[in-house]
Amino acid sequence: LPTTPMPTPMPTGQPKVVPSTFESDFDSWTTSTFNRKTGSTPSSSTGPSGAYDGSYYVYAETSSPHYPGVEFSMYLDLGEATLASVSFYYSMHGATMGTALLQGINRLGNSTTLWSKSGDQGDVWYSAQYNTTLPTESFQLLRFEYTSGSPYTGDFALDFICYELW
């Protein structure tokens, strides 16, 4: 007889809130392509003029040779914890903005796009949030990915990423 697997139980209690402000480092995020910055980005007419919160943020610098279609990524290993939600602030100011994604990657390496945005969103910081549908979603990694547009006026920035873990 076939058996039905037991459902994963819902977590109990309150999730642990973990902020990433980038004030002293990359706050457990791993990247070789994003830069940590205070103040405005080096190119004019793109990127934020400063951090959303505090002094520092992280961003993808799209000056030569980082366009067109260059991929930037930054990921966080959640270990054995279960993601409850993630919120963050992003800046997509510039005439040639590309596409930004937030992806959840499960233990089998399969990715699910949790959020995406393309094009110039203006010279402001916007907020975004994703709440998981527990217990059906279980991610080992969170990954921000940005694919640059063309040419240099496409700097993408992130700040104050806050995730909740069970």
Side-chain angles (χ1 to χ4, degrees):
L1 287 173
T3 59
T4 304
M6 295 297 294
T8 304
M10 289 291 291
T12 58
Q14 294 296 314
K16 176 184 175 185
V17 178
V18 182
S20 294
T21 61
F22 307 108
E23 291 304 301
S24 60
D25 57 23
F26 280 93
D27 294 331
S28 299
W29 290 85
T30 301
T31 185
S32 62
T33 54
F34 274 79
N35 298 305
R36 199 171 141 265
K37 181 84 172 115
T38 185
S40 61
T41 59
S43 304
S44 62
S45 302
T46 190
S49 56
Y52 168 77
D53 182 63
S55 299
Y56 287 87
Y57 59 95
V58 295
Y59 81 106
E61 172 58 58
T62 60
S63 294
S64 182
H66 299 158
Y67 65 84
V70 172
E71 187 177 288
F72 298 81
S73 66
M74 183 172 81
Y75 71 91
L76 176 71
D77 189 337
L78 301 173
E80 296 300 315
T82 300
L83 179 71
S85 71
V86 59
S87 61
F88 57 95
Y89 288 85
Y90 67 94
S91 169
M92 293 182 75
H93 168 56
T96 58
M97 291 302 304
T99 300
L101 304 172
L102 170 61
Q103 296 177 318
I105 302 169
N106 68 20
R107 298 191 193 305
L108 299 174
N110 301 318
S111 65
T112 301
T113 298
L114 310 178
W115 171 89
S116 68
K117 190 68 74 172
S118 296
D120 186 2
Q121 304 299 310
D123 191 10
V124 295
W125 286 97
Y126 289 95
S127 65
Q129 182 168 346
Y130 180 80
N131 296 309
T132 60
T133 54
L134 293 171
T136 59
E137 293 178 319
S138 182
F139 303 118
Q140 181 178 5
L141 299 173
L142 280 179
R143 176 176 64 199
F144 281 99
E145 191 173 280
Y146 177 66
T147 303
S148 65
S150 173
Y152 69 92
T153 55
D155 293 350
F156 169 69
L158 292 163
D159 198 8
F160 202 75
I161 304 169
C162 191
Y163 50 99
E164 295 181 315
L165 301 174
W166 292 102

